[in-house]
Amino acid sequence: MSPGGAVTVLYFAAARERAGTARERVEVPEGATVGVVLQLLAAAHPGLAPLLPHLRVAVDQEFVGAESPVRAGAEVALIPPVAGGSPGLFRVVERPLRLEEVVEAVGGEAYGGLVTFSGSVRDATKGRRVLRLEYEAYAPMAEKKLAEIGAEAATSWPGVRLAIVHRVGVLVPGELAVVIAAAAPHRKEAFRGCEHAIERLKQDVPIWKKEFFEDGEVWVGLGP
């Protein structure tokens, strides 16, 4: 291998299981791209290779494409499909959630409209009884992306303030997984801000969930 350097590779959820590790240092050649790094990882972890087409890659907490360069010392995260500066509250926590915490973060006398969303664990999925869920996150990047969602809402609907708190760890049916509050001077913008947060949370925020049933388990987004 030509002179280069080492990068830190982070694996999450199904990628972590296939690689058999959550973190490792990998030597890469000078001028390496994301595509080259993925080739090296597939060779080192054959079980990971079938999963690679389903993954996104973040370098230093930003999503990038296969042709993007990877400098020595970079942090490269393999992101499976996700199961969320700006005013507000954006957190990933390992404790029970309270809707009041997001309401208090965005409320105020100037905000006449306040819309909330509480997402709880269902007791069944596609007819299969759910025993528990296990949520996992790339927390620093997840909180950064949640804050970006808040900034997007404030740009699209001036005056909107968002707060999003997502829980990780083991949850059972009925427990809250995420709480969201959107406040604005008027109700229309508050509703739109809350809906925006719910939809964007599903797209770019690196939080995953694994569902456990009486007859098996599956990472959401990778299962049948």
Side-chain angles (χ1 to χ4, degrees):
M1 182 176 292
S2 59
V7 300
T8 299
V9 181
L10 305 180
Y11 301 95
F12 296 95
R16 184 194 68 250
E17 292 181 346
R18 296 291 183 91
T21 183
R23 171 191 294 260
E24 65 179 340
R25 295 280 287 175
V26 176
E27 293 290 333
V28 300
E30 184 177 3
T33 63
V34 167
V36 169
V37 173
L38 292 180
Q39 291 175 7
L40 293 173
L41 298 180
H45 306 289
L48 184 65
L51 195 63
L52 293 180
H54 304 284
L55 303 180
R56 299 176 74 184
V57 177
V59 175
D60 294 329
Q61 301 183 16
E62 294 291 342
F63 286 119
V64 295
E67 300 305 316
S68 296
V70 180
R71 64 173 179 80
E75 182 181 82
V76 179
L78 271 58
I79 309 291
V82 297
S86 302
L89 175 69
F90 306 99
R91 295 286 184 271
V92 175
V93 301
E94 297 184 48
R95 55 165 174 77
L97 303 182
R98 297 169 45 253
L99 184 60
E100 293 80 5
E101 62 186 307
V102 287
V103 170
E104 293 168 358
V106 299
E109 293 182 358
Y111 296 86
L114 178 65
V115 177
T116 65
F117 172 80
S118 301
S120 61
V121 178
R122 297 189 301 268
D123 63 359
T125 298
K126 297 181 180 178
R128 302 171 75 187
R129 179 167 170 259
V130 174
L131 301 179
R132 69 182 188 278
L133 297 185
E134 292 186 5
Y135 279 92
E136 178 180 324
Y138 181 16
M141 183 176 176
E143 292 184 345
K144 180 178 180 180
K145 292 300 177 183
L146 291 176
E148 288 179 4
I149 293 172
E152 291 169 2
T155 299
S156 298
W157 303 283
V160 168
R161 297 204 303 190
L162 283 181
I164 309 171
V165 181
H166 204 296
R167 185 177 173 185
V168 294
V170 179
L171 285 75
V172 298
E175 290 191 295
L176 292 174
V178 62
V179 288
I180 301 172
H186 305 285
R187 66 180 183 275
K188 184 177 181 180
E189 290 77 13
F191 273 107
R192 289 182 174 177
C194 189
E195 183 178 28
H196 177 79
I198 295 167
E199 294 304 318
R200 289 284 286 112
L201 180 63
K202 302 175 183 178
Q203 298 172 1
D204 284 344
V205 182
I207 299 175
W208 309 273
K209 66 179 178 181
K210 192 173 189 178
E211 292 184 309
F212 290 80
F213 308 99
E214 294 175 312
D215 58 350
E217 59 192 54
V218 64
W219 285 103
V220 174
L222 291 175

